[in-house]
Amino acid sequence: MRLVLLNLIVFCAIFVQASPVHHITRASLTLPALERQSIIALDGEWEFYWNKLLSPADFRKDPSVEPDAILIPSSWSDVNVGGKSIGSKGYATYRLNIRNVPQKDLMLDIYSVQTSCCVYVNGTLVAQVGKVGTTKETTEPMNRDVQVHLPPGADEYEIIVQIANFHHRKGGFVHPFEIGTTRAILKQRNLYYYLDFIESTALAIIGLFLFAMFIFRRKDLSILYFSLFCLTLAFRPMISVNYFMATLFEGINWSILLKIEYLSAMLPCLFMLMFIRELFPMQLPKLFVKLLSVVLSVKVAVVLLFPPAIFSYTILPFLAVVSIGVLIFAITVIRAIVAKVEGANYAGIGLVVLFISLLLKVFVYTGTLPAVHVLITVLDIAFIFMMSLILGSRFSLQFAKVETLQKKTEQQAHEIEMEKLLVEEKNKEILDSIHYSKRIQKALLPSEKYIERNLNRLRKGKQ
């Protein structure tokens, strides 16, 4: 009996030793020392739970729950679970433990989540954007940036983020959250909002000014197209990227905002195409103008007539169309510069600025580069300024022609006045000569009374 028990104990020991010990992987981040103005992106590895909406209570109830993946927050189209792409529609939970928390007034910057989220910090719901659900009917989409104060005095933070998307082609994170001192986060966020407001205001003022000029000069369609370009583009900084409008008005309709966001990208391209056609009609191929106008018009119609789940897929073909358009624009400007068309040099500089701005926007949109809002805003304003210089140079040329014509007219009027004076002087001389001749005639010839008296005397002599 003892031998059997001994063998059983040995067998169990061997089995336990041979069996693998299963360790649950957890994601954590140790914060470096935060300076007064420091901001740190939470772009490290997070726990990822696909098709699960887990709350802090769920994690307390079952601490052994294992994540489906450990990954960096990004778009769901880039995420693979079990060797398969999860797509962009669905719901998920992210979790991250932050350690080495400094005893400072800290803030979490929550932004760029598609298209609804709930954020918990140390078991407390601190932010909700839209409504997270497990179906399209129970989910309410919204894009809005939120900044929340983190609990003071904590040694570590457990951040849980629930995300759901059933209404957009892109789900998950666009950019990871950021953590920093309250002063640094608010300073950065206010800077973004100020830049958006300045850019929108500048575009609106330029657009309204040019539209007013077109009312008084309707023959020049380039003024109309550029004014419409500025006015339609003026909506974009306030609606997209930092979602300033949605932050100001929390109850605003997400679908309408998204339609305006897409239209404020497509309509300016259409009006810019018309503007370039008016500036350089001999250098821009007419067939290209017709084809691109039709394509952009169709895309605008799709945005107006269909829901975001459909028209949000137009953005990728739109980026391809814009790339082709920029290439044709470059060829047109080069041809115009060679032909020495008025304003072509300014268009060339504007093209370089536009190209750099588009590259930065694409890199930021895809997550390749961090948000560089200040540089992009400066480049956008510089592009508008260069395009305005084209109109300015055309106006200057027209004014120069008017001034030249006015000078010629004044010179001709002066010459006519001198000729008039000369004619009047000649007329006066002729009249003086006539009067002088009359006086001579009167002096040499007898008067009428004398002639009549002599005629009467002759008649009487004959009688």
Side-chain angles (χ1 to χ4, degrees), residues 92-135:
T93 302
Y94 293 79
R95 186 167 77 147
L96 175 68
N97 288 315
I98 300 178
R99 300 194 173 106
N100 192 33
V101 176
Q103 299 303 308
K104 294 183 178 182
D105 185 14
L106 300 179
M107 178 171 279
L108 182 66
D109 195 359
I110 301 166
Y111 67 104
S112 296
V113 175
Q114 300 285 7
T115 51
S116 60
C117 72
C118 289
V119 180
Y120 297 87
V121 176
N122 288 353
T124 303
L125 178 64
V126 297
Q128 181 173 348
V129 179
K131 184 179 179 181
V132 176
T134 57
T135 64

Side-chain angles (χ1 to χ4, degrees), residues 3-219:
L3 182 61
V4 173
L5 290 175
L6 181 62
N7 290 333
L8 182 61
I9 292 172
V10 172
F11 175 77
C12 291
I14 295 173
F15 178 78
V16 171
Q17 184 176 5
S19 300
V21 178
H22 186 69
H23 297 284
I24 299 175
T25 306
R26 297 299 183 199
S28 64
L29 171 68
T30 301
L31 286 180
L34 280 170
E35 300 298 333
R36 182 180 178 85
Q37 298 293 331
S38 293
I39 297 176
I40 298 173
L42 301 181
D43 54 359
E45 293 182 333
W46 291 55
E47 300 169 25
F48 180 71
Y49 304 84
W50 178 238
N51 281 341
K52 301 181 184 72
L53 292 182
L54 301 176
S55 65
D58 294 324
F59 285 105
R60 287 195 298 269
K61 183 179 179 181
D62 185 10
S64 63
V65 60
E66 186 174 358
D68 294 303
I70 303 293
L71 48 78
I72 297 173
S74 62
S75 174
W76 287 346
S77 58
D78 302 326
V79 176
N80 293 324
V81 173
K84 296 182 179 180
S85 175
I86 64 175
S88 59
K89 307 293 177 59
Y91 52 95
T93 302
Y94 293 79
R95 186 167 77 147
L96 175 68
N97 288 315
I98 300 178
R99 300 194 173 106
N100 192 33
V101 176
Q103 299 303 308
K104 294 183 178 182
D105 185 14
L106 300 179
M107 178 171 279
L108 182 66
D109 195 359
I110 301 166
Y111 67 104
S112 296
V113 175
Q114 300 285 7
T115 51
S116 60
C117 72
C118 289
V119 180
Y120 297 87
V121 176
N122 288 353
T124 303
L125 178 64
V126 297
Q128 181 173 348
V129 179
K131 184 179 179 181
V132 176
T134 57
T135 64
K136 185 176 182 180
E137 291 71 26
T138 58
T139 303
E140 294 181 5
M142 177 52 66
N143 292 116
R144 185 174 63 252
D145 296 346
V146 182
Q147 295 77 45
V148 296
H149 290 276
L150 295 174
D155 294 329
E156 65 178 44
Y157 293 129
E158 180 193 48
I159 300 178
I160 298 174
V161 183
Q162 298 174 348
I163 299 178
N165 173 61
F166 294 94
H167 298 80
H168 196 271
R169 71 168 189 86
K170 198 171 186 180
F173 283 88
V174 178
H175 297 288
F177 294 166
E178 293 180 340
I179 187 173
T181 62
T182 298
R183 179 174 179 178
I185 292 290
L186 291 179
K187 182 179 179 181
Q188 174 180 269
R189 183 55 51 184
N190 289 333
L191 174 62
Y192 294 162
Y193 290 154
Y194 291 150
L195 290 173
D196 293 341
F197 179 77
I198 290 172
E199 185 175 357
S200 289
T201 304
L203 288 169
I205 291 174
I206 294 173
L208 291 173
F209 173 75
L210 292 175
F211 189 78
M213 290 188 62
F214 172 74
I215 293 176
F216 295 100
R217 183 179 171 78
R218 298 188 179 184
K219 292 183 178 181

